[in-house]
Every structure is written in structure tokens, then in C-alpha cells.
Amino acid sequence: MSALPRRAALVLAIALAGGALPGAAGEIPLNERRSAYEDMSRDNKAMQDDDTSNPGMLAVLDGEALWSAKAGASGKSCADCHGDAKASMKGVAARYPAFNDSAGRPVDLEQRINLSREQDQKSAPFAYESKDMLALSAYVATQSRGEPIAPSDDPRLAPFIDKGRALFNLRQGQLNLSCAQCHDDNWGKHLAGNTVPQAHPTGYPIYRLEWQSLGSLQRRLRNCIIGMRAETYAYGAPEYVDMELYLMWRARGMKMETPAVRP
Amino acid sequence: MAARTLINVPQKAKRGDVIQIKTLISHIMETGFRRDNVGALVPRDIITSFTCTYNGETIFDAELHQAIAANPFITFHTVATESGTIAFRWTGDHGFLQEASAKITVE
Amino acid sequence: MHSTRRAFLATAGGAAAALVVRPAHATPESMASAIRQIVGEASMKPGKIKLDLPPLVENGNTVAMGVTVDSPMTAKDYVKAVHVVTEKNPQPNVISVKLGPRAGKADIQTRIRLADTQTVVAICEMSDGSFWSDKIDVIITLGACLEDPV
């Protein structure tokens, strides 16, 4: 399609700019942070705002069914231990990734769900980006909708936040580009007809119009890394979780929107 | 495997009111024009027809093509004539069939 | 021999050019033919039907579209059908809807795909056999950081 030649031209333009992108501004001041929701068209905002028309709600409904489904050798459903998700899961997604003792490091929401499946339900883990994983993580995360993002101040998280920050600022790939150069230094400007967002993970898993389906933050990060012409990590790699943790810390206080709609 | 649907029909209405019905269904709507990562055409898989009946009488009948976006969202109106069942039926490629319904009370 | 070789080179050059893969595009001609299939020999006038599409689209994969028709929707005067066609999608038809007086209002919304910047046309057929149309030119912006397929 005509996207390919245009993309190549974009790559060339950035390469020619030689990394001399304007304004190394550093971290965005807390009171200047904004969700990419603000940059969407009226119609796309309406798609997100209306639960009867938000395609992400289809996954939330599937997740609600999964919540009550008995699974694994335990014969238990999520509901059997956690009861009503509206109560027990409120605020949970807003503080993930969180430190997990059995893993000895932070895990994201999807990994935490799989730990429960394996350890508590004695069931097989869901594959990353599988319909069931997206549905259940959407259902859990939407219970935090409207809640402020609130990563724990557990001191064990600090070195991982630092690793995530280092990855965010790492210049990588064929364009020698870092996340920060676009999302800290040049947010609000335009790239090939799109507004560069600040990149806050307020609504994951999101219904992305580009994918025409729901997808996780890891998928979005892989998407970015491919777009930057850099090497992606495997799904579940600690680098992603470190980045997710840093991004959530960077977005602390902003409201959760799951399931968000994004172009 | 059933496709998830999300239907919005007012539970109650006054006789003669024009009500809006909103429908959303989970479906990939694969156009048949895309190619996979080795260049092969991904076969078409779309919903081709969506109909709605009100106590058995057809009130909406749509023919859908590849240009309808994934997870089709369709809204339309109908006159609230009597209490009963509003039923929805989607059919498409590869024998796809999904039905759903909602009750309405008309005073 | 000489002319055969020249013919061979010409064909080879032509074949190489054809390797630039492009999906089949609808053309203004195929949209016109799709409209003729809907309208037949009748004339089509602008008016009564209103197509609602954003003039500038962030992502052509999912574009909110509304179609309304100014009609009382009574047994004597109603909209029989609504059709939407596009100019540059791989095939021109988008949706065709049969309506009747039971609709109360001719007001439909859905979400469509638009492959490129193009014109979209909405057509309605009234109970008296007349056809009316509306059209909008839509600009599609392409994303910057795209993931590879699959």
C-alpha cells in the first residue's frame, strides 16, 4: 500500500535530521501531562466514552465471563477467591506493575494473572496477546477506570524504575532514536499527520484502530520499537516490564481509562 | 464459538416513541485484500448480512461489505409499537451465524 | 531475431514494473458503475439525504459514519433504501440498508474503512421511486509508527 513509500521517506527525513531533533526538554512537568485522549477526534472520543459503542467493551464482557469460569486442576474461578471484581480489583491495575515475591522482581498485570492461573488455579497460563488474556486483563483493568495511576512506593521497585527510565532514554535502532526524543521532547508536534502523544499508558489494554482489535501495552511498545527500526524483545521480556513500570510511574496521578480507544 | 454481542435497546418505551437501537458485535471483518507476512492473500471473512425483527416483523435489513470496519457497530431507529422481543441476526462468510435478542416493554 | 529480442526486453521491463504490488483499487468508473446498479436509469438528485463523515480522519481503519434522510417515514412517504459507495476502496460498496415506515426515522450510524483520501457517496431511494444523494470528500492521514503485519 502507499504507506510503505511514505514510511521510507519518513525514515530518511529523520535520518537526515541526524538526530538533531529540537528541544531536549527532559521529563514532562507533572502539571503539563495530558492523555492522548485529548488529541483524538470528536468521533473517536465518543467511541471511547460510550460503553454501548466502545469495541473494547466486547473484550470486557468476555473477561467478565472468564472471571466466573472454573479453570484448571483446582476447579476454581477467579471469583471463587476474589469475589466480585468490582470490589476486589478496584485500584489493582492502577498500581501495576508491582513487585512479586515469587518472581523476585516486578511483574505486569498479564504476568500476575498468569501467576495466579499457574500457582492458584493450577491451570495453563494464557498466551500473550491471546483473546482470553486480553479479555481478562481488560476486565480487571477496567475496574480501575477513573482511579489515579498509583505505583507503589515499595523501595524494591526503585532500581527497576531506573532501568525503565534508562530504556526510555536509550537511543537505539537504525534511527538512533530514543522514546524520550519524541515523547518527552517533541510531544504535541506532528509526525506524518499524527500528533505525537506524551505516551502515558492510561487505558491499557487499548482498542487501537490501527490494529482493529484490543492489544496490550507490550504490543504497543513492540509496535513503537519496530517503528523506530530497533530490535524488539520477546513477549514477557523484563525490559518491557521495566518500561511499563517506568511509564506508569511517569503517569502517576493520571486517571485510568481502560478500555481506551486510540488511533 | 459464539461471537460476543453488545445490544442496547431501551427496556421501556411509550407507544409511538421512536427509539434508537445500538448494536456491536465482535468480528474480524477480514477484507480478503490483505496479505500476510509471506505475501499470501488472507481469505475474506466478513459479516454479509444483519437483520432485525420486532415480534417477528423485519424492521432493519442491511447488506454489509468489506468496507464495514471490524467489530461492526450499527445503530438505527424503530417505532415502539408493542411489548415483545427485538431479535438480531448476523450472517456471513464460512457459515457465520450469530443471534441475539432483547425484550422491550411498551406502555 | 532482432525484433523478438527487443519484444522480450520490452516484456521483461513491463513485468518488472508490474512487480510493484498494489491492491486493486476501485476507480471513479467502478463507483459510477456501482451507482448505476443501485439507481438504474433513474436520475439521482443531490438533497434529502445527509452523509456525516469527519473531513479529516486519524485512522482510515475505523471511521464513524452517519446517514440521515429528511423523510416523515409514513406509510405514504418513506425511505425504501440507503446505500453508501466509495471511490477508492478496493471495491466500491460499503452498506445497503432496507428501511420502511416502521423505522420512524431514517437515521443510521456505523463505522467504515476508508483506504485513502477519497469521495464517499450516500444514496437513498424513496417510496415514490426517486433517488437522492449526498457526497463528502474525506482526507485520510496515515500513521507514523506502524507495526509490521502479524
Side-chain angles (χ1 to χ4, degrees):
Chain A
M1 279 194 72
S2 54
L4 191 50
R6 236 175 269 205
R7 210 156 79 199
L10 174 67
V11 167
L12 195 55
I14 291 187
L16 286 172
L21 289 167
E27 285 180 10
I28 302 170
L30 293 182
N31 63 351
E32 283 180 37
R33 293 173 312 169
R34 50 192 264 129
S35 161
Y37 172 86
E38 307 296 336
D39 297 323
M40 292 205 299
S41 67
R42 178 205 68 178
D43 290 324
N44 288 338
K45 280 184 181 162
M47 205 185 303
Q48 178 175 318
D49 292 341
D50 182 358
D51 279 358
T52 62
S53 83
N54 183 335
M57 290 307 291
L58 293 167
V60 167
L61 289 171
D62 282 343
E64 187 176 31
L66 278 169
W67 181 264
S68 303
K70 309 264 180 225
S74 70
K76 287 194 155 82
S77 68
C78 314
D80 284 332
C81 290
H82 294 288
D84 180 8
K86 283 183 193 38
S88 61
M89 293 294 115
K90 183 171 156 129
V92 169
R95 60 177 172 79
Y96 262 79
F99 200 91
N100 182 269
D101 291 323
S102 71
R105 55 154 290 123
V107 298
D108 63 19
L109 189 65
E110 288 85 352
Q111 290 174 328
R112 186 64 190 84
I113 288 172
N114 271 345
L115 283 170
S116 261
R117 288 214 23 117
E118 289 175 291
Q119 295 171 356
D120 305 318
Q121 289 178 304
K122 312 277 185 259
S123 178
F126 291 128
Y128 280 105
E129 275 346 82
S130 62
K131 184 164 182 266
D132 284 347
M133 174 54 90
L134 289 168
L136 196 50
S137 56
Y139 180 62
V140 170
T142 201
Q143 308 309 327
S144 289
R145 188 162 58 171
E147 298 289 305
I149 290 175
S152 157
D153 54 11
D154 183 338
R156 295 175 298 174
L157 288 177
F160 299 95
I161 295 178
D162 288 341
K163 282 192 199 177
R165 182 187 291 107
L167 285 165
F168 191 79
N169 285 282
L170 174 71
R171 292 179 71 137
Q172 56 183 306
Q174 294 176 339
L175 303 180
N176 201 30
L177 198 56
S178 75
C179 314
Q181 283 180 286
C182 281
H183 297 296
D184 272 345
D185 302 342
N186 288 289
W187 62 267
K189 302 206 180 106
H190 283 258
L191 191 64
N194 293 160
T195 306
V196 177
Q198 294 183 352
H200 298 295
T202 51
Y204 279 86
I206 60 170
Y207 188 84
R208 192 173 187 216
L209 303 186
E210 180 60 32
W211 301 328
Q212 297 193 77
S213 72
L214 208 71
S216 68
L217 179 54
Q218 280 202 18
R219 179 176 179 181
R220 191 66 192 84
L221 293 174
R222 289 169 65 87
N223 209 152
C224 288
I225 291 171
I226 291 170
M228 289 157 74
R229 297 295 182 249
E231 198 71 49
T232 55
Y233 312 101
Y235 265 106
E239 285 86 351
Y240 289 129
V241 183
D242 295 342
M243 276 194 282
E244 289 176 60
L245 175 61
Y246 170 65
L247 288 170
M248 289 293 270
W249 176 86
R250 182 171 169 269
R252 61 200 183 283
M254 295 178 75
K255 296 235 164 51
M256 291 281 290
E257 300 170 41
T258 307
V261 171
R262 294 286 186 267
Chain B
M1 198 171 60
R4 176 68 61 178
T5 62
L6 215 182
I7 306 291
N8 195 255
V9 173
Q11 288 185 322
K12 283 199 174 67
K14 287 214 304 288
R15 198 172 305 269
D17 277 354
V18 176
I19 58 171
Q20 185 187 39
I21 294 173
K22 298 201 251 189
T23 69
L24 187 56
I25 182 169
S26 174
H27 195 284
I28 193 171
M29 295 298 282
E30 187 61 66
T31 61
F33 299 122
R34 294 199 312 161
R35 291 188 181 271
D36 66 17
N37 60 349
V38 295
L41 268 179
V42 181
R44 195 184 95 163
D45 183 8
I46 67 168
I47 293 174
T48 51
S49 162
F50 170 58
T51 54
C52 175
T53 59
Y54 188 158
N55 284 343
E57 199 178 313
T58 301
I59 57 168
F60 188 81
D61 183 355
E63 193 183 281
L64 275 48
H65 299 267
Q66 295 95 320
I68 296 297
N71 304 310
F73 174 68
I74 299 177
T75 79
F76 55 96
H77 291 76
T78 197
V79 181
T81 50
E82 57 193 5
S83 298
T85 303
I86 299 188
F88 308 88
R89 190 164 202 267
W90 296 261
T91 56
D93 293 335
H94 314 297
F96 180 81
L97 166 63
Q98 183 63 49
E99 290 173 312
S101 65
K103 294 251 182 284
I104 185 168
T105 303
V106 178
E107 281 135 14
Chain C
M1 189 67 167
H2 188 59
S3 63
T4 319
R5 185 159 165 267
R6 200 180 299 147
F8 172 78
L9 284 174
T11 316
L19 280 173
V20 173
V21 175
R22 277 218 162 86
H25 276 287
T27 56
E29 287 76 40
S30 62
M31 178 169 83
S33 139
I35 291 176
R36 248 193 323 276
Q37 286 199 318
I38 292 164
V39 171
E41 295 307 313
S43 67
M44 197 172 74
K45 293 195 278 288
K48 291 200 193 283
I49 184 167
K50 185 162 181 305
L51 178 59
D52 189 12
L53 277 167
L56 183 64
V57 164
E58 293 173 284
N59 192 295
N61 285 342
T62 306
V63 183
M65 179 182 85
V67 183
T68 51
V69 185
D70 177 19
S71 162
M73 298 305 277
T74 61
K76 293 235 163 60
D77 183 7
Y78 61 93
V79 177
K80 267 169 69 173
V82 168
H83 307 268
V84 179
V85 292
T86 57
E87 184 195 13
K88 291 196 186 139
N89 278 356
Q91 70 86 29
N93 300 94
V94 179
I95 189 171
S96 289
V97 178
K98 289 200 200 116
L99 292 172
R102 289 205 61 152
K105 251 210 269 191
D107 181 343
I108 299 159
Q109 287 171 44
T110 186
R111 293 172 186 146
I112 68 171
R113 292 170 167 144
L114 292 173
D116 202 348
T117 293
Q118 62 183 299
T119 304
V120 181
V121 177
I123 301 164
C124 69
E125 181 186 353
M126 308 299 273
S127 48
D128 66 5
S130 62
F131 288 91
W132 302 82
S133 69
D134 187 18
K135 66 179 182 140
I136 291 187
D137 297 323
V138 185
I139 297 175
I140 306 296
T141 57
L142 293 174
C145 287
L146 301 173
E147 113 197 302
D148 294 329
V150 179

